Structure formats: C-alpha cells, structure tokens
Amino acid sequence: MTTIVTGGAGFIGSNFIFYMLKKHPEERIICVDKLTYAGNLSTLASVMDNPNFRFVKADICDESAIDQLFVEEHPDVVVNFAAESHVDRSIKDPNIFLQTNIMGTANLMNVARKYGVQRFHQVSTDEVYGDLPLDRPDLFFTEETPIHTSSPYSSSKAAADLLVLAYHRTYGLPVTISRCSNNYGSYQFPEKLIPLMFIDATENRPLPVYGEGLNVRDWLYVEDHCQAIDLILQNGRVGEVYNIGGHNEMRNIDIVKIICQTLGKPESLIEHVTDRKGHDRRYAIDPTKIHNELGWLPETNFKDGIAETLKWYQDNQDWWQQIINGDYQKYYEKMYANR
Ligand code: NAD
Ligand code: TYD
C-alpha cells in the first residue's frame, strides 16, 4: 500500500505521517509538500531515513510534477492536507488560498482520476459550516449543517469540498471528506493561537487576544485527529463526510489564561486588540456519525492535551526559534503592530 500525503511538512500532515509510519510500518508514505512558509523540512527529520518514506518537494497545483509522481509511485491512496490554512492571512490576501485550496485539490483529483486510486481523502474543516451563536450551547455542527462560510479561507475549503463531492458523483472518484475542529499539539506553526501565545508569554511580550476573547473553539488533539483519518481510510464509506471533534469547547481567553498559569506568567500580559474581521463566534462538532459508524471518540481531554503541548514547545525551543528568527517577524509586525 502506497499513500501520498500532501502538506506533510506542516502541522497536522507531519503528525499524520508519524502516526501512520508507526501504526502501519509495512505501508509506504510519500510526502508531497511545496515547503511554503508553513512547511518545515526539519519537522520530518526523524523519518527521512525510513525506507518506507519519501519526501518530494512539489506544488499540488503543478500538474506535470504530480503526474510524474503517480507514474513513479502508483499510489493507492491520496490524503490531501496541503492548504493555505490561516484565516488572518486569507483576510489580508485571499488569492493564494483560492489557488492552492481549490485549484490544487482539483489538480490532485484530475491526476488521481487519470491513474485510478482506491481512495482520495480530503482533509477539510468545521469552518465550512460557518459559526454558531454563543448563547445556544445546545447547537452543534452535524454533517447535515448547511455550508455557510465566513472567511476567504473557509470559503476556499468549502469550494474544494464541493468539488470533491462532485468528482465522486460525476466521475465515481472514491472520495471521503473529514471536517475537523481546531487542532492543537506538537509542530503547529506559531501563527496559530496556542503556539503564538506560548511564545509571546515565554518572551514576556503582550498576548494579543482578539476582542473580548469570548469566541469558542472545539479543540482536538492532533493525534486523535490522525487516528480518526486512519479509521476513515480503513472503514469509512466512500462519498461520505465525517465530522471529527468532540466536546472540548474552550473560550480563547481561558486558553490564554491557562498558558499564563502553566508558564508562571502574569495575566497582565493579556492585551485585548482589534477583533478579526468577520470573526466566527463558536465552533462545536457533533461526532455522532464517526462514533456510531467507526467507533471513534477523542481520547485526549483538553487538560492533558494542553499540558503535553506546552511541554513540547518548552522542550523544542530550537524548532520554533528557527521559525521566529525568519520571515515570521515581518508577519508579526504586519499583523499585530498598531492593532
Ligand atoms: P499548515 O499550514 O501547518 O500546513 C500546510 C502544509 O501544506 C505546509 O507544509 C505547506 O508547505 C503545505 N502547502 C501549502 N501549499 C501547498 C501547495 N500548493 N502544494 C504543496 N504543499 C503545500 O496546516 P495544518 O494546520 O497542518 O492543516 C492541514 C490541513 O488541515 C489543511 O487542509 C487545513 O485546512 C486543515 N485543517 C486544519 C485545522 C487546524 O486546526 N490546524 C483545522 C481544520 C482543518
Ligand atoms: P486560530 O488559531 O487562528 O484558528 P481559527 O481562526 O482557525 O479558529 O485562532 C483561534 C482563535 O483564537 C480564534 O477565535 C482567533 C483567536 N486568536 C486571538 O485571539 N489572537 C491571536 O493572535 C490569534 C492568532 C487568534
């Protein structure tokens, strides 16, 4: 069995590669990644010498590169993690999101159709459902919730999902889609909430909470996510969407306070800054379908997962220092100066 994992030098893709090489050591994994600002080859250092692993630097939008890879490797499965993934960047500059997230997905599917695959799995997001009101804790996203996006990022992911379902219906491509909630864990790029606040707190910088910090996210430990995708690849029904997440809802402000407490930093570092445009209020997943069909439930509660995650960032300063010493500083200045 040979699986192409796109975006495997990023946060979730790399964790998925580690998970798969450990869980299914007999299977071959080919990582395809363009190495954008969010991709980091050093993340994959521990698996580079594994004979069942190959890294290929390529853009998922590059038809000839992807075609050539299929000729060389005859993949059975494609798992598409590659994407532009940060909402704030999509608000500043949507175009690359449309290119990679929509056209890149279409290009991968075109090549997958040409050569045939057993499965094309699209890694999507709960953000395609829009948001839920803060005063209705009884409401959750199910797979039947209408697509109703807020940001250029979520719109590009929703467009890709619709294309994936269309390629199934029109051409019979054997697809599955998973829509997960906010992931956290090791190797997450420092632009996202938890690593950003960890690094700023470590360096005694102000902690920029958007608005009041009352927005709610449903946090999913990255290894639980990887396990769910593996189950969908094995036993998921072709043509189906599976929501992944489950009842780990937290307000942003409470997460930032946990980070302060864990690091022994004063909450006076918290600074409320101008809110994100179109800021989604609450995400919350109903995981009934994946639980009933595939027996999956998240195994990691937020208290344990966040402790593990913060410890990982404490123990792996070299990894994030190398990032924040590069272009990240310019990004931070652009996004947060005078906010
Ligand atoms: P990430 O930004 O950390 O990593 C994305 C990876 O894709 C990087 O390695 C980057 O180099 C690569 N990439 C980008 N454009 C590419 C292109 N054109 N060709 C090849 N590679 C390219 O993202 P992540 O957080 O690991 O997210 C992975 C997937 O999961 C994305 O599809 C995202 O939409 C989805 N998702 C993420 C979360 C989350 O909380 N992080 C939640 C829901 C869904
Ligand atoms: P983020 O990690 O960007 O994920 P997403 O936008 O996909 O949910 O943000 C998580 C939440 O944290 C979101 O409500 C925005 C908020 N946030 C801040 O308050 N300050 C920040 O500096 C960042 C990056 C996010």
Side-chain angles (χ1 to χ4, degrees):
M1 174 78 90
T2 297
T3 300
I4 287 185
V5 176
T6 70
F11 165 45
I12 310 176
S14 61
N15 276 282
F16 183 72
I17 288 170
F18 303 146
Y19 178 93
M20 292 297 278
L21 287 172
K22 200 166 159 197
K23 185 87 191 292
H24 307 285
E26 70 292 352
E27 292 181 15
R28 184 164 163 75
I29 301 278
I30 317 294
C31 171
V32 175
D33 200 295
K34 185 183 173 185
L35 297 179
T36 68
Y37 78 91
N40 192 338
L41 208 46
S42 75
T43 298
L44 295 170
S46 66
V47 295
M48 279 298 183
D49 291 336
N50 185 320
N52 271 344
F53 177 74
R54 177 182 171 199
F55 177 81
V56 177
K57 183 174 186 304
D59 186 334
I60 58 166
C61 303
D62 182 341
E63 190 184 336
S64 67
I66 301 298
D67 193 291
Q68 190 190 331
L69 188 62
F70 270 68
V71 170
E72 286 169 17
E73 296 286 353
H74 309 289
D76 305 288
V77 173
V78 176
V79 184
N80 184 26
F81 289 94
E84 289 292 332
S85 69
H86 193 40
V87 173
D88 292 322
R89 286 185 192 254
S90 83
I91 293 168
K92 284 259 189 250
D93 185 6
N95 287 358
I96 184 69
F97 285 73
L98 311 185
Q99 181 63 20
T100 287
N101 299 1
I102 305 173
M103 300 310 291
T105 302
N107 184 50
L108 284 172
M109 289 194 296
N110 288 337
V111 182
R113 267 187 72 210
K114 179 173 169 189
Y115 293 102
V117 287
Q118 288 173 24
R119 183 71 65 81
F120 182 95
H121 182 75
Q122 176 72 359
V123 179
S124 185
T125 168
D126 60 358
E127 298 190 29
V128 302
Y129 300 122
D131 65 350
L132 297 164
L134 291 176
D135 60 358
R136 289 292 306 274
D138 55 313
L139 296 181
F140 297 92
F141 297 137
T142 74
E143 291 77 0
E144 307 305 321
T145 302
I147 301 287
H148 188 83
T149 54
S150 312
S151 70
Y153 162 68
S154 55
S155 305
S156 68
K157 294 294 289 185
D161 282 14
L162 295 177
L163 266 182
V164 170
L165 294 173
Y167 271 58
H168 173 61
R169 175 147 176 174
T170 308
Y171 306 119
L173 190 71
V175 307
T176 39
I177 295 177
S178 52
R179 295 181 178 146
C180 66
S181 51
N182 287 61
N183 282 220
Y184 67 107
S186 54
Y187 297 107
Q188 186 167 32
F189 193 81
E191 68 195 349
K192 302 287 188 348
L193 178 74
I194 290 174
L196 183 137
M197 295 296 173
F198 169 88
I199 292 171
D200 281 348
T202 301
E203 303 199 330
N204 300 308
R205 291 156 59 117
L207 307 177
V209 170
Y210 299 166
E212 294 299 304
L214 303 180
N215 304 60
V216 170
R217 299 292 184 262
D218 184 359
W219 292 91
L220 173 65
Y221 194 54
V222 67
E223 285 172 21
D224 286 336
H225 183 193
C226 295
Q227 191 199 23
I229 295 175
D230 185 25
L231 284 175
I232 294 170
L233 292 177
Q234 289 178 52
N235 299 320
R237 285 184 295 135
V238 162
E240 292 291 316
V241 173
Y242 293 91
N243 285 354
I244 310 177
H247 311 305
N248 264 321
E249 286 177 58
M250 298 282 298
R251 302 188 309 180
N252 295 339
I253 188 73
D254 297 326
I255 292 190
V256 177
K257 286 181 179 171
I258 289 173
I259 294 173
C260 289
Q261 278 157 20
T262 309
L263 301 189
K265 301 289 178 176
E267 289 180 9
S268 57
L269 285 176
I270 294 173
E271 201 170 272
H272 291 275
V273 300
T274 309
D275 211 347
R276 175 185 279 173
K277 288 188 173 76
H279 198 172
D280 280 338
R281 293 160 296 176
R282 170 174 169 253
Y283 304 142
I285 291 258
D286 176 353
T288 304
K289 180 173 176 180
I290 191 166
H291 178 60
N292 287 349
E293 286 192 20
L294 305 177
W296 180 89
L297 273 182
E299 287 174 7
T300 312
N301 66 42
F302 190 76
K303 190 166 166 285
D304 295 339
I306 191 75
E308 276 288 314
T309 302
L310 297 178
K311 182 165 183 326
W312 186 87
Y313 280 92
Q314 275 170 328
D315 293 347
N316 289 275
Q317 291 231 359
D318 288 352
W319 183 85
W320 55 263
Q321 279 292 351
Q322 179 200 324
I323 292 170
I324 64 170
N325 289 340
D327 283 349
Y328 183 75
Q329 272 183 20
K330 281 185 230 145
Y331 165 82
Y332 201 93
E333 188 65 19
K334 186 168 144 200
M335 289 293 189
Y336 293 94
N338 312 314
R339 186 162 182 148

